[in-house]
Amino acid sequence: MMSVLSGLLAVGLVVDLSVGSALAVEPTDNTGAGQSATQALDSLEVKGRAPKTGYKRTQFGKAWADVDRNGCDTRNDILNRDLTDVKHKVRTHDCVVESGQLHDPYTGKDIAFKKGWKTSTAVQIDHVVALSDAWQKGAQKLSQTKRTELANDPYNLLAVQGKANQKKSDGDAATWLPSNKSFRCEYVARQIGVKHKYSLWITQAEKEAISKVLSSCPTQTVPDYTGVKDSTVEKTTESEQTEQTQTEQQTEQPAEQAQQNQQTTQAPAPEPAPAPAPAPQPEPQQNVYYQNCTAARAAGAAPIYQGQPGYRSQLDRDHDGVACE
């Protein structure tokens, strides 16, 4: 009898250990979390960027779908995770975020979030590896289910300043890095983790850009699943703060005024070379019209933020500045 009980106990312990181990490793799920970011980078395939042909947002499923079936959409899941002092809309089971505070990892600035037609866009949810970038580097070979998982994976999502998100667009590390330099190491390391998890490749230019960032933090590891680390609140140096302030000013002001500010703040020098004019931005396509959100999603335009081509208040059901969520 004792031997039988001992056997059952041993089996129980094995089962518990197996389940516990599965739960422990499940969140990272092939991200390579904990290993050297440099070594993980070297494990990624290096190839040229594939054509963007066939890319639509709908290839990655419905925007902000409730893939984990917790009764809350992905956008609000991430707001709840990344914001502090969160207050929820009543009768939403602590899902819909009405207000909160964000310490933006991309700029290092603190942002007060308030849900509303003109205010929600101050905080946006960024795909660390942009979906368009992923499409051109292997995601087009993934199943629709796997692409939907990628688009809604908390490991690939961060609540960030809206302006920084718009500026990044679908750029990779070779074309865009956060102005908050204290976050760059973790940022590129998380991109490595995402690409490792979904078997995406990188370009040579991208690898060189990431390697350059990691050269300043050789002990950086691939981040775990929990999100932004405490490094995002580290104070930047005075020169970095100045750089961030100038970047913000030039983004918010018209191009001509930004040039005047640059010329005013620069110390006088003999025969200074004229500051290069910023790249011209395309004029908004005011004639873009989507009859409904189904049409917007079919065109790969959803979600549409206020001010973007195709945005109409009629498509913005909760009037928070984001249509066809």
Side-chain angles (χ1 to χ4, degrees):
M1 182 66 177
M2 289 299 296
S3 60
V4 172
L5 290 175
S6 299
L8 290 174
L9 179 60
V11 170
L13 288 173
V14 170
V15 171
D16 286 344
L17 287 173
S18 300
V19 172
S21 299
L23 292 175
V25 301
E26 182 180 5
T28 55
D29 190 20
N30 201 33
T31 61
Q35 68 173 288
S36 164
T38 300
Q39 292 179 358
L41 174 65
D42 289 337
S43 71
L44 298 179
E45 185 179 10
V46 179
K47 293 173 60 175
R49 183 186 294 271
K52 196 175 178 179
T53 307
Y55 169 74
K56 292 183 180 180
R57 176 60 179 83
T58 51
Q59 297 280 12
F60 291 82
K62 179 182 177 181
W64 308 138
D66 180 16
V67 294
D68 58 3
R69 301 182 183 277
N70 68 345
C72 192
D73 61 276
T74 301
R75 172 180 165 80
N76 279 291
D77 277 340
I78 302 304
L79 290 176
N80 277 293
R81 185 196 69 184
D82 291 353
L83 271 60
T84 58
D85 299 327
V86 171
K87 293 183 179 179
H88 297 97
K89 186 176 181 179
V90 295
R91 294 188 292 275
T92 63
H93 303 286
D94 290 342
C95 169
V96 179
V97 177
E98 282 280 10
S99 64
Q101 297 290 325
L102 173 69
H103 183 76
D104 174 36
Y106 285 176
T107 64
K109 296 181 179 296
D110 293 318
I111 303 172
F113 171 78
K114 183 175 177 59
K115 180 179 175 63
W117 184 43
K118 295 183 179 181
T119 56
S120 287
T121 53
V123 173
Q124 299 176 12
I125 308 302
D126 179 49
H127 290 94
V128 177
V129 172
L131 300 185
S132 173
D133 180 65
W135 177 261
Q136 297 175 80
K137 296 173 183 176
Q140 55 185 275
K141 297 181 180 180
L142 300 176
S143 66
Q144 177 83 15
T145 300
K146 202 66 176 177
R147 288 198 296 265
T148 301
E149 178 187 336
L150 167 61
N152 293 276
D153 190 340
Y155 191 80
N156 190 35
L157 297 171
L158 288 175
V160 300
Q161 183 200 64
K163 292 178 181 177
N165 185 39
Q166 295 295 325
K167 188 173 182 179
K168 173 188 173 180
S169 186
D170 59 357
D172 60 17
T175 58
W176 186 90
L177 289 169
S179 61
N180 180 17
K181 293 184 178 179
S182 68
F183 186 67
R184 288 183 178 178
C185 287
E186 183 177 339
Y187 173 75
V188 298
R190 188 169 290 274
Q191 286 190 325
I192 293 171
V194 172
K195 297 206 168 186
H196 189 277
K197 179 175 181 177
Y198 292 95
S199 302
L200 306 177
W201 68 75
I202 56 176
T203 64
Q204 183 61 39
E206 184 181 4
K207 182 173 184 177
E208 291 173 0
I210 293 176
S211 296
K212 183 177 180 180
V213 172
L214 293 179
S215 67
S216 66
C217 46
T219 60
Q220 175 69 49
T221 59
V222 177
D224 60 21
Y225 207 79
T226 56
V228 180
K229 292 183 178 179
D230 292 339
S231 62
T232 60
V233 301
E234 294 178 359
K235 292 184 178 179
T236 56
T237 64
E238 182 177 350
S239 61
E240 291 170 354
Q241 291 175 345
T242 301
E243 175 186 332
Q244 292 174 18
T245 301
Q246 292 175 347
T247 301
E248 288 290 324
Q249 291 174 344
Q250 291 177 1
T251 301
E252 296 172 359
Q253 297 171 335
E256 294 181 0
Q257 186 174 350
Q259 290 180 0
Q260 293 173 358
N261 288 349
Q262 186 179 21
Q263 293 170 357
T264 301
T265 55
Q266 288 177 340
E271 299 182 0
Q281 299 296 321
E283 291 295 325
Q285 302 176 31
Q286 299 297 337
N287 60 340
V288 175
Y289 176 84
Y290 300 111
Q291 184 176 3
N292 49 43
C293 285
T294 300
R297 293 188 183 101
I304 311 173
Y305 291 95
Q306 184 182 9
Q308 291 183 332
Y311 175 88
R312 292 188 295 121
S313 59
Q314 292 87 341
L315 302 179
D316 189 355
R317 292 182 299 177
D318 53 3
H319 302 292
D320 64 349
V322 186
C324 302
E325 296 178 71

